[in-house]
Amino acid sequence: MLKQRLEVKLQNKLILTVSLKQQLALLLLPKLELQETIKTELEENPFLEEVVNIEPNYEPVRDLSKYYEEEDEKSLSNRIPYKPSLIDLLDFQIDLEFEEIEKEIAREIVGNIDEKGFLTVSVEDISKKLKVSPQQVETVRQKLMRLEPVGIAAKNIKESLLVQYEELFGVDNIAQNIIKNSLDLINDMNSLTEKYTDIPEDKIKDVICNIRSLKPYPAINYFDEPVRYIEPDVYVYDMGDYFEVMVNEINIPKLKLTTSYRRLISDKTLPQETRKFLEEKLQKAIGIIKGIEQRRENLKKITQILVEYQSDFIRKGKEYLKPLILKDIAHQVGLHESTVSRIVSSKYVQLPTGILPLKAFFSTKLSSSTGDISTEKVKYMIAQLIENEDKRKPLSDQKIADILKDKGINVARRTVTKYREQLNIPDSRNRRMRK
């Protein structure tokens, strides 16, 4: 017979407060989205007000024109709109997040998503094609769904929403229940409260509000739409002996908490519902103010590390890019790898030579006789070999792999093929000069 007993058990559990959720959300926003978010909050949050008629406490962005040579096309490239494709974004993250066979599995999954971002084939079909176990494919898919955009490669809208909710708001059993079993009722509050009589109405309202903020389709931001111009999130100045990094905060309002509403919330005669509403708004306002500061500090810190480490890349060109992965940066700044990944995947930096995404500073590594070498360096070497080949006898991928091996770089033929295809270079048969 089993005996019942009472135990006191200590357990670590992360609880995301309203303030902390707001801080995490702002950390990930690019500048233009940050401006829109702050504008909306100023209109809706009674605890926030803009500080006006004061000098900004950050140095204005300088004129970058002296860094550019008019005879080159560099200045023109800074005005060209850029919209990375979904495949570009995912391919970058796959290189950083996966190793060896997992990369192949991840790319196969990505190759089978539809325009909405959902997986169109079964896990079993992919496992058979690649000759791996279904569990391996599912493990990669689960990790893939938590990259940007969150929910990508989900099997359906419910699974995508579940992952998005967990990533943004944490694990919530009530939210999971509503998404799985009552998604068709999210616009019918009366039906929901009748169905979930054991859950407080305020809690249901909060969950529904959160669900409505999610994307119905993970690839929705990559549907065909007018291309937008990029505004850099960070400016980098080459001072010769060092790089100066400045976060772009032009047109981002300075915020403070209003004093009148702070006094109001201390009124003991306030109805409970009103007090709860005001307390949540206050927490959100505090989160926004702290979030802007944290975003500035982390963005500057990450960029400073990136530009100092990749100084040769900035000054000499892409072939000088060193191997660098998310874990290296996460360790130095004290953030989780997934947080660093989201920060760099949506931010742009203005360099003396043009605008680049922060993710361009990362590259996976290959081994060589002289140490680790970045994949970008290897791609550059492949491109150079092909450019200088005898067009009557173009180099095969195996021959290129052999030449690289002679240079101390161990790379398989299929890897050369993959890099060549990423460079949009035809195979040797199609490169051969016709007589």
Side-chain angles (χ1 to χ4, degrees), residues 25 65 141 178 330 370 403:
S65 59
R141 191 181 75 88
I178 292 175
T370 57
I403 294 173

Side-chain angles (χ1 to χ4, degrees), residues 26 44 92 97 100 110 115 163 267 269 276 284 288 307 309 324 329 337 348 381-382 398 416 427 429:
L26 291 185
E44 298 179 356
F92 162 74
E97 298 284 350
E100 300 176 351
V110 168
E115 68 279 359
V163 175
D267 185 352
T269 63
K276 184 178 179 181
K284 197 168 186 180
I288 288 174
V307 298
Y309 184 77
L324 184 66
I329 300 298
E337 286 180 53
Y348 291 82
M381 294 175 73
I382 292 172
Q398 182 59 58
V416 171
D427 59 24
R429 181 167 53 85

Side-chain angles (χ1 to χ4, degrees), residues 312-325:
D312 286 343
F313 163 60
I314 295 172
R315 290 171 175 147
K316 299 179 182 179
K318 194 171 184 179
E319 64 271 25
Y320 290 91
L321 188 68
K322 299 176 185 176
L324 184 66
I325 58 176

Side-chain angles (χ1 to χ4, degrees), residues 193-247:
T193 52
E194 289 175 6
K195 184 172 181 178
Y196 299 98
T197 54
D198 57 329
I199 303 173
E201 186 175 337
D202 286 347
K203 173 60 178 177
I204 294 178
K205 285 182 178 178
D206 287 344
V207 169
I208 295 303
C209 182
N210 290 341
I211 292 174
R212 286 173 176 167
S213 71
L214 306 178
K215 298 172 184 175
Y217 307 121
I220 193 169
N221 288 346
Y222 295 85
F223 290 174
D224 289 336
E225 61 178 18
V227 178
R228 298 178 181 177
Y229 284 82
I230 290 170
E231 184 172 354
D233 298 274
V234 191
Y235 287 86
V236 172
Y237 305 95
D238 190 347
M239 311 306 290
D241 296 332
Y242 66 96
F243 291 100
E244 185 174 346
V245 174
M246 288 175 51
V247 177

Side-chain angles (χ1 to χ4, degrees), residues 310-368:
Q310 301 287 20
S311 58
D312 286 343
F313 163 60
I314 295 172
R315 290 171 175 147
K316 299 179 182 179
K318 194 171 184 179
E319 64 271 25
Y320 290 91
L321 188 68
K322 299 176 185 176
L324 184 66
I325 58 176
L326 290 172
K327 188 181 293 185
D328 300 330
I329 300 298
H331 178 73
Q332 293 188 61
V333 297
L335 295 173
H336 193 275
E337 286 180 53
S338 63
T339 304
V340 175
S341 175
R342 291 180 184 175
I343 290 174
V344 301
S345 68
S346 59
K347 305 295 189 304
Y348 291 82
V349 56
Q350 172 74 70
L351 299 171
T353 50
I355 294 179
L356 283 179
L358 276 177
K359 67 182 183 182
F361 287 83
F362 292 85
S363 179
T364 49
K365 61 186 177 182
L366 294 172
S367 61
S368 73

